[in-house]
Amino acid sequence: MSDASCSQDHILTTTEELEALYGEPLGRSLIKEIDHISDHYRAFVEASPFLIIASIGPEGLDCSPRGDPAGFVRVADEKTVLIPDRRGNNRIDTLRNIVRDPRVSLLFLIPGVGETLRINGTARITTDPDLCQSFEMQGKVPKSIIEVRADRVYFQCQKALVRSRLWAGETQVLRDQLPTAGQIMAALSEEPFDHAAYDAGYPEHMKKTIY
């Protein structure tokens, strides 16, 4: 960030400076944090069709989406959730990070619900065949399962989703208002790339490769 847009005189660099600016956390924000998945929090996990998983590795941070029908994340016990690793693009950024640094953070979203749920903990990857088979979808079995051991679990209040109006129908953005995936690929590719053919064929490609 350039000096013109952000004066170095106003950069906060210590926790003491942050605490002086923001003050003490509200008591309610601390009460909701526990070290396990309670029945109330389990209900949020099981109702969520979408989560974001943050991980860290030698190359830096990564934040990746995961989605499936609600209930796709399985609560194995009060400390453990299981996430199937569905077919993707084989970048496996999250998995690469986990095998080198197990720290992860999960953010669960539920359509129409303002509160989100956060689970911070450590992860490991298993290829147990019986466990993988138990997550079969449309005849396809995930290659691995991400097992997350919870250290901190808490819900986030509605403010961010209310301010963004994320679930309001009138705020939905029409896809044609943004560049298509094919157009982005064509712009970034050093070789000739037929973006129109890519975009036209993607719906059928999605049907064949989603699982």
Side-chain angles (χ1 to χ4, degrees):
M1 185 175 292
S2 68
D3 291 338
S5 62
C6 185
S7 170
Q8 296 300 309
D9 294 336
H10 301 287
I11 300 297
L12 303 182
T13 60
T14 69
T15 55
E16 289 78 13
E17 290 172 334
L18 286 172
E19 290 166 357
L21 178 64
Y22 284 94
E24 294 293 324
L26 296 176
R28 294 188 300 275
S29 69
L30 301 178
I31 292 173
K32 63 187 178 183
E33 180 182 322
I34 56 179
D35 64 357
H36 63 283
I37 304 163
S38 65
D39 289 343
H40 296 95
Y41 288 160
R42 178 174 186 148
F44 274 76
V45 173
E46 294 178 343
S48 173
F50 182 82
L51 68 84
I52 299 169
I53 178 170
S55 60
I56 185 170
E59 296 83 11
L61 300 170
D62 183 68
C63 194
S64 178
R66 293 290 190 275
D68 244 337
F72 79 102
V73 177
R74 185 178 303 166
V75 181
D77 57 49
E78 67 174 10
K79 294 288 289 184
T80 311
V81 296
L82 304 172
I83 308 167
D85 190 64
R86 300 295 185 194
R87 185 173 179 175
N89 55 21
N90 276 353
R91 283 182 56 107
I92 57 173
D93 296 309
T94 299
L95 304 185
R96 292 181 192 277
N97 283 347
I98 288 173
V99 297
R100 295 175 295 176
D101 188 325
R103 292 176 295 170
V104 297
S105 183
L106 309 179
L107 177 68
F108 293 86
L109 288 89
I110 304 169
V113 175
E115 292 87 358
T116 59
L117 181 72
R118 297 167 67 171
I119 296 180
N120 297 333
T122 55
R124 60 182 184 175
I125 303 164
T126 177
T127 59
D128 180 275
D130 291 336
L131 186 59
C132 289
Q133 184 64 48
S134 71
F135 282 93
E136 175 269 331
M137 282 287 286
Q138 296 186 12
K140 301 295 178 62
V141 176
K143 290 184 177 180
S144 68
I145 306 297
I146 301 173
E147 178 188 275
V148 177
R149 185 81 173 169
D151 294 326
R152 299 164 57 207
V153 185
Y154 53 101
F155 76 89
Q156 194 79 21
C157 74
Q158 299 185 28
K159 292 186 180 70
L161 269 69
V162 170
R163 287 192 294 257
S164 67
R165 303 183 71 208
L166 183 64
W167 306 131
E170 62 271 21
T171 66
Q172 301 302 297
V173 177
L174 296 177
R175 186 62 186 87
D176 62 9
Q177 294 180 1
L178 295 171
T180 68
Q183 289 169 340
I184 295 171
M185 294 286 287
L188 299 178
S189 178
E190 296 181 355
E191 302 294 332
F193 186 87
D194 190 341
H195 67 83
Y198 179 88
D199 289 332
Y202 194 77
E204 186 62 27
H205 173 76
M206 172 73 78
K207 291 179 184 178
K208 294 179 178 178
T209 63
I210 191 166
Y211 286 107

